[in-house]
Amino acid sequence: MSQQIQAVRGMNDLLPEQTGLWRHVERVLRAVFEGHGYREVRLPLVEKTELFRRSIGEVTDIVEKEMYSFEDLNKESLSLRPEGTAGCVRAGIEHGFLHNQTPRLWYLGAMFRHERPQKGRYRQFHQAGVETYGMTGPDIDAELIAMSAALWRSLGVTGLQLQINSLGTVAARHAYREKLVEYFKQYETQLDEDSRRRLLTNPLRILDSKNPDLKSLIEGAPRLLEHLDEESRTHFDRLKNLLAACGVEFVVNERLVRGLDYYTKTVFEWVTDQLGAQGTVCAGGRYDGLVEQLGGKATPAVGFALGMERLLALLEVQGSQSLEDTPHVYLILVGESAERAGLSLAATLRGQIPGLRLLMNCGGGSFKAQFKRADKSGAEIALVLGDEELEKGAVGVKFLRADRPQQQQPVEQVAALLREAVSNGS
Ligand code: ATP
Ligand code: MG
């Protein structure tokens, strides 16, 4: 036997037992997004590496060490997308749908990061994201956050806490950054290797450190909210008022800085303690500088992305059931004539009964063998077509899970029976 090939580490197969719940979530997402006037975009999985370098930032974890980059046959450096925002801005500039417009967009798809795989952290994962452009907020910030709250409600997820913060304008952040460097420089020897490196490259990220040894040092650091510019402070206050007005509860987390470079003003995360270490289910914020940074006309922007695997894990922890996708009916066909007639009978029934899940026997077999398969399929009803039924112009009906007599009926009657089975909700 030749050697077995396994999936790439950190890249998961989604099997039929799981896809039902995924489809349910996808349907709810779509309905909620569309209900808020967001329109779907589907963008490439691969972009020029340069796009991510210029947007996410050279000194972020993603660009430094997590990207799946490769040279294609033209010797051009390409990367699998690690997130969706950069590609969305790229497309917006390219197709001219950002400038002087106010698009609200959403997407859903696979993202790729070469991280250490663990629960809630994979190398291929899926994000549902929304991005809006051309609106300075904070009303749109609030709408978008309230929309995420509506998602949890529609899905019946509980136990998510909304944390918000403001990172200020780029100018305010630069001024704060100097204060922060000054502070941490005094304690450089106490910093871990990662933080020491970040002191030079991206000091705000030190605040985000998960190292417990640094906790008290970080507690004592100058506070970002105290160094906010007037404009950002007003923006943040108005956002808080708007959220309160629509009944979305939040806490201010001054340590919330987000991993990506391009955020300004509003940042937020939805976190839970029900998933262990990887507790952030959804994260987003405002990124007013990015469009210009990528060569477009200055355009304000705000968006979020939620991690599908983490959301699904939370739903499972909370007992959500997968959508039903077992067949209603198993069609048993014995004999060559029945096999010939079976294909069109199946097509007729599927055509007449919306939502019918009909599984047709393939590969022949005796009545007994086919009844066994019918039983195993989980179907409620077995339809039987053999020489006898064909001669009578009828179809046999056997209820596999209910104590009802076996019968032979003309096709129209069978269709009525199946309609009943489908509308009974299974
Ligand atoms: P984290 O701090 O957990 O690494 P992040 O700041 O890198 O998250 P974002 O880039 O903001 O995450 O992505 C938004 C969301 O996508 C996260 O909140 C999370 O739910 C999900 N996500 C990010 N990376 C992964 C991953 N490797 N595997 C699964 N989900 C992920
Ligand atoms: Mg990360």
Side-chain angles (χ1 to χ4, degrees), residues 340-408:
R340 247 193 324 275
L343 271 172
S344 54
L345 173 63
T348 304
L349 292 171
R350 290 190 196 105
Q352 285 181 0
I353 305 164
L356 176 69
R357 295 186 294 271
L358 184 150
L359 191 61
M360 188 186 83
N361 187 78
C362 283
S366 65
F367 276 110
K368 193 170 163 215
Q370 293 196 37
F371 266 113
K372 251 195 183 152
R373 289 179 208 149
D375 195 45
K376 208 171 153 206
S377 77
E380 297 280 324
I381 295 171
L383 295 183
V384 184
L385 206 56
D387 290 338
E388 187 190 320
E389 287 81 7
L390 277 176
E391 232 163 71
K392 291 188 188 156
V395 181
V397 181
K398 186 170 159 65
F399 295 89
L400 298 171
R401 330 265 156 208
D403 195 12
R404 286 168 71 172
Q406 192 163 338
Q407 26 184 300
Q408 283 186 344

Side-chain angles (χ1 to χ4, degrees), residues 83-95:
E83 51 98 57
T85 303
C88 194
V89 172
R90 194 267 310 141
I93 297 170
E94 196 167 327
H95 301 288

Side-chain angles (χ1 to χ4, degrees), residues 62 66 82-83 112-113 115-116 118 120-127 205 208 210 258-260 262-263 269-270 277-284 304-311:
I62 293 183
E66 296 174 359
E83 51 98 57
F112 303 85
R113 297 183 194 176
E115 306 197 62
R116 192 169 69 78
Q118 53 198 291
R121 192 175 293 288
Y122 309 103
R123 291 184 173 170
Q124 175 178 307
F125 60 100
H126 298 77
Q127 285 183 340
R205 288 296 310 283
D208 198 22
K210 310 232 156 58
R258 310 287 312 116
L260 310 184
Y262 52 58
Y263 287 104
E269 289 190 353
W270 286 95
Q278 269 54 250
T280 304
V281 172
C282 174
F304 69 70
L306 68 86
M308 289 290 283
E309 282 77 4
R310 294 188 195 173
L311 177 58

